[in-house]
Amino acid sequence: MAERDPELTDGSARSKGIDWNGLMALDSRAVPDFLTKESYTYRGSEPVPAERYTSEEIAKLEREKMWPYVWQFAAREEDLPEPGDFVVYENAGRTYLVVRQEDGSIRAMHNVCLHRGRKLRTEDGSADKFVCPFHGFAWNKDGSFNSMPCQWDFPHLKEKEMGLPEAEVGRWAGYVFIREEKGGPSLEEYLAPLPEHFKRWRHEECATVMRVAKEVPANWKVVMEAFMEAWHTIVTHPQLLPFTGDCNAGYRTYGDNVNVNLVPFGIMSPHIAEGQGEQWIVDEFAKYNGRSSDNYDPEADPMAITVPEGQTAREALGEAMRAVYTEQTGYDHADASDCELLDGLVYNVFPNFAPWGGFMPNIVYRWIPGETPDTCVMEVRILARVKKGQPVPHGAPPRYLTLDQKWTEAPELGMLAEVFEQDMENLPYVQAGLKASKSGKVNYANYQEIRIRQFQDTMTKYVTGEPGDRA
């Protein structure tokens, strides 16, 4: 084996050619400082045990020592707009009712009857009180006890002790979070610096216009980590290479909980040796954008444009989208940088929440562990900005896809469905391979997979320590 360059040992190596910050220096508008400020800390190059993805014992530690102590994305405000509206949120062996109150506040209580343990609700809805379908024990929408049949037979149950146990609720930018065990950092502290970064992008003025959830035959961490780096595009999504940067994407980590992958679009992959010019990049972008539609009309596609002489594909696409989003939303986008209009600004918050930044309709991912370490549910939302001055509509209902269904059975996902299906061609075999691994080790890249290592480092703090040990 050839001797390695010493720089490779500390994570300082980068893809040859123009990197993220070099590209940002060419943007037609000033790029926000937080998108160009380096935030990388080398975390070592040691492998991690494959059992982290396959072991029931590890999954048990996650349920007991991690999930109760973290802020979990449970709903969007538009999912429960009116008093009495509720969302059933389930994760890691718990089930919750997330309920809008008369004063506009939101409370979360455990979705379990205190009589014989039946779930009070199995689907989202609206109610003034929650009556158990088994024996009729009832609770008000604030979780306080309402009534029960044959109360004479329960002299040992005191009404003041019969309120449904509650979880802590936090709200930010239209997102509703819960935390089972109260205490620890506030939601704002936990999310930092996400709230500061997202001020420009106004997710509180968005509504869910599309929502699809699918069961996947792989561990939730296996699936999530597939969306935490861009360089698998080279082999897994080759159709994206004409207009997508991969190994020249930027990666940032912030503390224990937050990281981001900055993926440039409207630029050729460094893995394309010879491109065919700026117009070719735009044409490939538009062609791919229309593949998923049988009624594709290039005249109606804002990305099907002619690149003016002297402009790059990114500049031309940025200018086109600047006009489109201004018209769609009623907000002026004159100062929006090309990267905020085009690029994949893919943030992750520990452990399982991933909102995209930028001014375009934003993707939001969430991953929920399954009943065994070998399955999970991946949920995809699309948020769109509500036009200036218009009320926020009710969020789109979810479509659920089973283990045997394909993402392409949700046509509302458009071209994303094809991309997700390409990922599915890998993920079940990753899970199977990890279980069969002779070495029992998983190796990460120093830079392009730094987000995964940060996630694993934070997970380790939870599953090997006590709650008081974490900052």
Side-chain angles (χ1 to χ4, degrees), residues 441-459:
K441 297 176 181 179
V442 177
N443 292 288
Y444 303 132
N446 288 335
Y447 180 66
Q448 294 180 97
E449 293 172 341
I450 189 62
R451 302 169 77 209
I452 301 174
R453 191 172 291 279
Q454 180 213 37
F455 167 82
Q456 290 289 342
D457 287 349
T458 302
M459 176 70 76

Side-chain angles (χ1 to χ4, degrees), residues 281-421:
I281 295 172
V282 169
D283 291 345
E284 289 295 303
F285 203 170
K287 181 171 66 176
Y288 184 70
N289 193 44
R291 278 184 196 171
S292 60
S293 174
D294 294 332
N295 302 309
Y296 177 65
D297 178 6
E299 294 186 3
D301 182 356
M303 294 188 181
I305 60 173
T306 299
V307 179
E309 185 175 353
Q311 279 195 0
T312 65
R314 281 178 61 81
E315 289 172 328
L317 286 168
E319 195 61 38
M321 300 318 296
R322 200 170 283 113
V324 167
Y325 296 142
T326 296
E327 180 180 357
Q328 286 180 349
T329 69
Y331 291 92
D332 185 4
H333 287 72
D335 68 341
S337 59
D338 300 333
C339 83
E340 295 173 284
L341 298 164
L342 298 175
D343 295 341
L345 313 179
V346 190
Y347 285 76
N348 274 67
V349 176
F350 185 86
N352 66 330
F353 168 55
W356 285 41
F359 290 108
M360 70 288 286
N362 298 118
I363 299 171
V364 180
Y365 300 128
R366 179 172 65 181
W367 299 271
I368 300 293
E371 293 185 3
T372 76
D374 296 328
T375 65
C376 72
V377 173
M378 176 175 169
E379 182 186 80
V380 182
R381 289 179 184 246
I382 305 293
L383 303 186
R385 277 148 195 80
V386 178
K387 192 159 187 175
K388 190 175 183 179
Q390 297 297 310
V392 177
H394 197 291
R399 179 197 293 265
Y400 295 103
L401 301 175
T402 65
L403 206 61
D404 296 328
Q405 290 180 288
K406 294 181 178 295
W407 286 101
T408 48
E409 294 181 49
E412 62 267 38
L413 288 172
M415 65 181 182
L416 285 175
E418 178 185 341
V419 173
F420 295 157
E421 272 307 305

Side-chain angles (χ1 to χ4, degrees), residues 73-131:
F73 166 47
R76 284 277 304 175
E77 297 268 2
E78 67 270 15
D79 297 338
L80 55 163
E82 301 296 331
D85 289 350
F86 65 89
V87 168
V88 176
Y89 171 65
E90 298 187 322
N91 184 22
R94 298 291 194 211
T95 178
Y96 305 89
L97 293 167
V98 182
V99 190
R100 180 78 67 178
Q101 303 299 306
E102 290 293 337
D103 63 0
S105 65
I106 296 176
R107 304 181 77 162
M109 59 279 300
H110 288 255
N111 179 30
V112 176
C113 177
L114 299 182
H115 172 218
R116 298 270 289 275
R118 190 198 193 279
K119 289 183 182 180
L120 295 172
R121 291 290 186 275
T122 58
E123 296 180 344
D124 301 353
S126 185
D128 284 328
K129 63 181 179 180
F130 300 103
V131 181

